[in-house]
Amino acid sequence: MLVAVASDHGGFALKEKVKEYLRQRGDKIVDLGTTSEDSVDYPIYGKACAEAVASGKAERGIVCCGTGIGISIAANKVKGIRCGLCTSVEMAELTRKHNNANMLAMGGRTTDPALAMEIVKAFMDTEFEGGRHKRRTDMLDEM
Ligand code: RB5
């Protein structure tokens, strides 16, 4: 799968680990920055990743900031984006099954990297259940 990734400085180290993990799986990556731990503004990177996914340039997006909160808020402002901030494997499975999330957000300062890779795996490998959940995601996409 082609995955767009982005982070601010607080999520930079985790983004680099996510890239390594995705490469090992055989996924393709578009890295939209940032490129170091120098301070930057997370809305720029959340928006860039969300626009790559919304436009179809990437099939999924993964974003990281210190907590995952700010960058997920930014991503969810782009029409067509359903970005789930996940802190557990269960949340990642459910945001795919129920929300058909096309983006995942995680916190580089709040989520252990080993757990984060399990979260990425669940996000990448879990299918949307459709049915009653489709009606609800259609409502989200209309907003
Ligand atoms: C940056 O210091 C921090 O505020 C940011 O990474 C993120 O946690 C915001 O939600």
Side-chain angles (χ1 to χ4, degrees):
M1 205 177 286
L2 178 57
V3 186
V5 299
S7 75
D8 74 352
H9 52 291
F12 174 71
L14 184 57
K15 170 173 71 75
E16 294 305 300
K17 290 196 168 69
V18 167
K19 282 164 56 183
E20 193 181 317
Y21 176 68
L22 291 172
R23 276 199 197 101
Q24 280 171 15
R25 288 170 44 99
D27 293 302
K28 300 218 175 330
I29 298 153
V30 183
D31 185 351
L32 298 165
T34 186
T35 55
S36 75
E37 294 190 338
D38 293 346
S39 184
V40 292
D41 299 324
Y42 59 79
I44 293 169
Y45 297 90
K47 182 172 184 258
C49 192
E51 287 179 345
V53 174
S55 69
K57 283 182 192 144
E59 295 166 81
R60 296 270 174 94
I62 300 180
V63 285
C64 307
C65 65
T67 58
I69 297 171
I71 206 158
S72 64
I73 292 171
N76 278 313
K77 286 185 173 289
V78 175
K79 193 166 174 61
I81 293 303
R82 296 172 305 278
C83 180
L85 168 57
C86 297
T87 58
S88 69
V89 170
E90 183 184 19
M91 288 174 76
E93 288 172 352
L94 288 172
T95 203
R96 287 289 310 134
K97 286 181 180 174
H98 290 192
N99 312 124
N100 198 15
N102 48 15
M103 288 184 62
L104 167 68
M106 297 185 294
R109 295 174 181 158
T110 54
T111 300
D112 175 80
L115 172 60
M117 297 313 114
E118 293 299 311
I119 290 171
V120 170
K121 181 179 187 330
F123 172 69
M124 294 299 293
D125 293 346
T126 305
E127 295 297 322
F128 181 44
E129 284 181 352
R132 67 187 186 283
H133 303 298
K134 175 75 166 63
R135 182 177 72 247
R136 295 162 185 163
T137 59
D138 284 348
M139 290 168 77
L140 290 176
D141 291 344
E142 280 304 307
M143 287 179 179

mmCIF file of all heavy atoms in Angstrom, residues 80-103:
data_model
loop_
_atom_site.group_PDB
_atom_site.id
_atom_site.type_symbol
_atom_site.label_atom_id
_atom_site.label_comp_id
_atom_site.label_asym_id
_atom_site.label_seq_id
_atom_site.Cartn_x
_atom_site.Cartn_y
_atom_site.Cartn_z
ATOM 1 N N GLY A 80 -13.069 14.507 3.562
ATOM 2 C CA GLY A 80 -12.789 13.145 3.110
ATOM 3 C C GLY A 80 -11.852 12.387 4.033
ATOM 4 O O GLY A 80 -11.649 11.197 3.853
ATOM 5 N N ILE A 81 -11.307 13.112 5.020
ATOM 6 C CA ILE A 81 -10.376 12.455 5.943
ATOM 7 C C ILE A 81 -11.101 11.995 7.200
ATOM 8 O O ILE A 81 -11.888 12.722 7.799
ATOM 9 C CB ILE A 81 -9.213 13.411 6.306
ATOM 10 C CG1 ILE A 81 -8.345 13.677 5.082
ATOM 11 C CG2 ILE A 81 -8.387 12.843 7.455
ATOM 12 C CD1 ILE A 81 -7.760 12.444 4.406
ATOM 13 N N ARG A 82 -10.807 10.748 7.554
ATOM 14 C CA ARG A 82 -11.262 10.189 8.828
ATOM 15 C C ARG A 82 -9.999 9.703 9.533
ATOM 16 O O ARG A 82 -9.493 8.621 9.249
ATOM 17 C CB ARG A 82 -12.266 9.045 8.587
ATOM 18 C CG ARG A 82 -13.555 9.515 7.896
ATOM 19 C CD ARG A 82 -14.441 8.357 7.503
ATOM 20 N NE ARG A 82 -13.721 7.409 6.669
ATOM 21 C CZ ARG A 82 -13.533 7.557 5.347
ATOM 22 N NH1 ARG A 82 -14.029 8.596 4.713
ATOM 23 N NH2 ARG A 82 -12.847 6.648 4.674
ATOM 24 N N CYS A 83 -9.478 10.560 10.414
ATOM 25 C CA CYS A 83 -8.203 10.286 11.088
ATOM 26 C C CYS A 83 -8.471 9.875 12.532
ATOM 27 O O CYS A 83 -9.053 10.647 13.295
ATOM 28 C CB CYS A 83 -7.319 11.534 11.047
ATOM 29 S SG CYS A 83 -5.715 11.296 11.859
ATOM 30 N N GLY A 84 -8.062 8.667 12.882
ATOM 31 C CA GLY A 84 -8.258 8.166 14.238
ATOM 32 C C GLY A 84 -6.975 8.281 15.055
ATOM 33 O O GLY A 84 -5.933 7.784 14.641
ATOM 34 N N LEU A 85 -7.088 8.946 16.197
ATOM 35 C CA LEU A 85 -5.968 9.014 17.149
ATOM 36 C C LEU A 85 -6.024 7.769 18.017
ATOM 37 O O LEU A 85 -6.989 7.570 18.762
ATOM 38 C CB LEU A 85 -6.082 10.280 18.000
ATOM 39 C CG LEU A 85 -5.167 10.374 19.235
ATOM 40 C CD1 LEU A 85 -3.707 10.234 18.871
ATOM 41 C CD2 LEU A 85 -5.416 11.687 19.950
ATOM 42 N N CYS A 86 -5.034 6.923 17.932
ATOM 43 C CA CYS A 86 -5.081 5.617 18.606
ATOM 44 C C CYS A 86 -3.942 5.455 19.598
ATOM 45 O O CYS A 86 -2.793 5.765 19.291
ATOM 46 C CB CYS A 86 -5.023 4.495 17.580
ATOM 47 S SG CYS A 86 -6.430 4.502 16.453
ATOM 48 N N THR A 87 -4.302 4.911 20.763
ATOM 49 C CA THR A 87 -3.309 4.630 21.806
ATOM 50 C C THR A 87 -3.303 3.149 22.174
ATOM 51 O O THR A 87 -2.643 2.762 23.130
ATOM 52 C CB THR A 87 -3.592 5.478 23.064
ATOM 53 O OG1 THR A 87 -4.913 5.188 23.515
ATOM 54 C CG2 THR A 87 -3.466 6.963 22.767
ATOM 55 N N SER A 88 -4.059 2.344 21.439
ATOM 56 C CA SER A 88 -4.074 0.904 21.696
ATOM 57 C C SER A 88 -4.363 0.167 20.394
ATOM 58 O O SER A 88 -4.901 0.759 19.441
ATOM 59 C CB SER A 88 -5.152 0.540 22.726
ATOM 60 O OG SER A 88 -6.439 0.722 22.164
ATOM 61 N N VAL A 89 -4.046 -1.110 20.381
ATOM 62 C CA VAL A 89 -4.339 -1.944 19.211
ATOM 63 C C VAL A 89 -5.849 -2.035 19.010
ATOM 64 O O VAL A 89 -6.350 -1.968 17.876
ATOM 65 C CB VAL A 89 -3.711 -3.348 19.392
ATOM 66 C CG1 VAL A 89 -4.194 -4.308 18.316
ATOM 67 C CG2 VAL A 89 -2.186 -3.242 19.385
ATOM 68 N N GLU A 90 -6.594 -2.137 20.103
ATOM 69 C CA GLU A 90 -8.059 -2.224 19.994
ATOM 70 C C GLU A 90 -8.627 -0.984 19.310
ATOM 71 O O GLU A 90 -9.511 -1.076 18.450
ATOM 72 C CB GLU A 90 -8.681 -2.406 21.384
ATOM 73 C CG GLU A 90 -10.193 -2.585 21.317
ATOM 74 C CD GLU A 90 -10.849 -2.680 22.679
ATOM 75 O OE1 GLU A 90 -10.228 -2.268 23.681
ATOM 76 O OE2 GLU A 90 -12.004 -3.142 22.732
ATOM 77 N N MET A 91 -8.126 0.193 19.692
ATOM 78 C CA MET A 91 -8.615 1.426 19.054
ATOM 79 C C MET A 91 -8.293 1.441 17.563
ATOM 80 O O MET A 91 -9.110 1.883 16.747
ATOM 81 C CB MET A 91 -7.996 2.656 19.734
ATOM 82 C CG MET A 91 -8.552 2.925 21.117
ATOM 83 S SD MET A 91 -7.688 4.275 21.936
ATOM 84 C CE MET A 91 -8.379 5.699 21.089
ATOM 85 N N ALA A 92 -7.101 0.948 17.213
ATOM 86 C CA ALA A 92 -6.717 0.920 15.790
ATOM 87 C C ALA A 92 -7.614 -0.037 15.008
ATOM 88 O O ALA A 92 -8.049 0.274 13.891
ATOM 89 C CB ALA A 92 -5.250 0.509 15.661
ATOM 90 N N GLU A 93 -7.912 -1.202 15.592
ATOM 91 C CA GLU A 93 -8.819 -2.142 14.913
ATOM 92 C C GLU A 93 -10.203 -1.519 14.750
ATOM 93 O O GLU A 93 -10.804 -1.605 13.681
ATOM 94 C CB GLU A 93 -8.921 -3.439 15.729
ATOM 95 C CG GLU A 93 -7.666 -4.278 15.653
ATOM 96 C CD GLU A 93 -7.674 -5.457 16.613
ATOM 97 O OE1 GLU A 93 -8.601 -5.557 17.458
ATOM 98 O OE2 GLU A 93 -6.737 -6.259 16.531
ATOM 99 N N LEU A 94 -10.662 -0.870 15.802
ATOM 100 C CA LEU A 94 -12.025 -0.315 15.747
ATOM 101 C C LEU A 94 -12.129 0.904 14.842
ATOM 102 O O LEU A 94 -13.174 1.130 14.226
ATOM 103 C CB LEU A 94 -12.523 0.015 17.160
ATOM 104 C CG LEU A 94 -12.857 -1.226 17.989
ATOM 105 C CD1 LEU A 94 -13.145 -0.848 19.437
ATOM 106 C CD2 LEU A 94 -14.054 -1.969 17.405
ATOM 107 N N THR A 95 -11.056 1.682 14.757
ATOM 108 C CA THR A 95 -11.155 2.849 13.874
ATOM 109 C C THR A 95 -11.136 2.423 12.406
ATOM 110 O O THR A 95 -11.633 3.142 11.545
ATOM 111 C CB THR A 95 -10.081 3.922 14.198
ATOM 112 O OG1 THR A 95 -10.547 5.193 13.709
ATOM 113 C CG2 THR A 95 -8.721 3.606 13.601
ATOM 114 N N ARG A 96 -10.612 1.246 12.119
ATOM 115 C CA ARG A 96 -10.745 0.686 10.765
ATOM 116 C C ARG A 96 -12.118 0.020 10.598
ATOM 117 O O ARG A 96 -12.815 0.297 9.632
ATOM 118 C CB ARG A 96 -9.635 -0.352 10.506
ATOM 119 C CG ARG A 96 -8.255 0.251 10.304
ATOM 120 C CD ARG A 96 -8.136 0.991 8.955
ATOM 121 N NE ARG A 96 -8.609 0.131 7.906
ATOM 122 C CZ ARG A 96 -9.439 0.530 6.927
ATOM 123 N NH1 ARG A 96 -9.858 1.777 6.856
ATOM 124 N NH2 ARG A 96 -9.849 -0.321 6.011
ATOM 125 N N LYS A 97 -12.517 -0.827 11.536
ATOM 126 C CA LYS A 97 -13.768 -1.579 11.395
ATOM 127 C C LYS A 97 -14.983 -0.665 11.369
ATOM 128 O O LYS A 97 -15.924 -0.886 10.611
ATOM 129 C CB LYS A 97 -13.930 -2.561 12.571
ATOM 130 C CG LYS A 97 -13.036 -3.771 12.503
ATOM 131 C CD LYS A 97 -13.290 -4.687 13.696
ATOM 132 C CE LYS A 97 -12.404 -5.913 13.642
ATOM 133 N NZ LYS A 97 -12.541 -6.740 14.856
ATOM 134 N N HIS A 98 -14.991 0.343 12.222
ATOM 135 C CA HIS A 98 -16.190 1.166 12.392
ATOM 136 C C HIS A 98 -16.115 2.524 11.696
ATOM 137 O O HIS A 98 -17.135 3.021 11.228
ATOM 138 C CB HIS A 98 -16.461 1.410 13.882
ATOM 139 C CG HIS A 98 -16.915 0.184 14.606
ATOM 140 N ND1 HIS A 98 -17.443 0.218 15.885
ATOM 141 C CD2 HIS A 98 -16.923 -1.126 14.242
ATOM 142 C CE1 HIS A 98 -17.752 -1.007 16.267
ATOM 143 N NE2 HIS A 98 -17.439 -1.851 15.298
ATOM 144 N N ASN A 99 -14.933 3.139 11.676
ATOM 145 C CA ASN A 99 -14.808 4.496 11.117
ATOM 146 C C ASN A 99 -14.205 4.509 9.715
ATOM 147 O O ASN A 99 -14.115 5.581 9.107
ATOM 148 C CB ASN A 99 -13.934 5.389 12.013
ATOM 149 C CG ASN A 99 -14.291 5.327 13.485
ATOM 150 O OD1 ASN A 99 -13.443 5.035 14.322
ATOM 151 N ND2 ASN A 99 -15.538 5.580 13.810
ATOM 152 N N ASN A 100 -13.775 3.337 9.241
ATOM 153 C CA ASN A 100 -13.062 3.275 7.951
ATOM 154 C C ASN A 100 -11.982 4.356 7.896
ATOM 155 O O ASN A 100 -11.829 5.076 6.881
ATOM 156 C CB ASN A 100 -14.034 3.428 6.777
ATOM 157 C CG ASN A 100 -13.444 2.956 5.459
ATOM 158 O OD1 ASN A 100 -12.425 2.266 5.442
ATOM 159 N ND2 ASN A 100 -14.064 3.339 4.361
ATOM 160 N N ALA A 101 -11.241 4.488 8.994
ATOM 161 C CA ALA A 101 -10.225 5.545 9.083
ATOM 162 C C ALA A 101 -9.220 5.411 7.945
ATOM 163 O O ALA A 101 -8.684 4.325 7.707
ATOM 164 C CB ALA A 101 -9.509 5.475 10.424
ATOM 165 N N ASN A 102 -9.000 6.521 7.258
ATOM 166 C CA ASN A 102 -7.972 6.513 6.196
ATOM 167 C C ASN A 102 -6.670 7.139 6.692
ATOM 168 O O ASN A 102 -5.682 7.171 5.959
ATOM 169 C CB ASN A 102 -8.478 7.166 4.905
ATOM 170 C CG ASN A 102 -9.158 8.495 5.140
ATOM 171 O OD1 ASN A 102 -9.026 9.082 6.207
ATOM 172 N ND2 ASN A 102 -9.881 8.973 4.144
ATOM 173 N N MET A 103 -6.706 7.645 7.936
ATOM 174 C CA MET A 103 -5.470 8.131 8.557
ATOM 175 C C MET A 103 -5.404 7.702 10.014
ATOM 176 O O MET A 103 -6.431 7.601 10.700
ATOM 177 C CB MET A 103 -5.370 9.664 8.468
ATOM 178 C CG MET A 103 -5.081 10.159 7.063
ATOM 179 S SD MET A 103 -4.838 11.945 6.966
ATOM 180 C CE MET A 103 -3.391 12.200 7.984
#
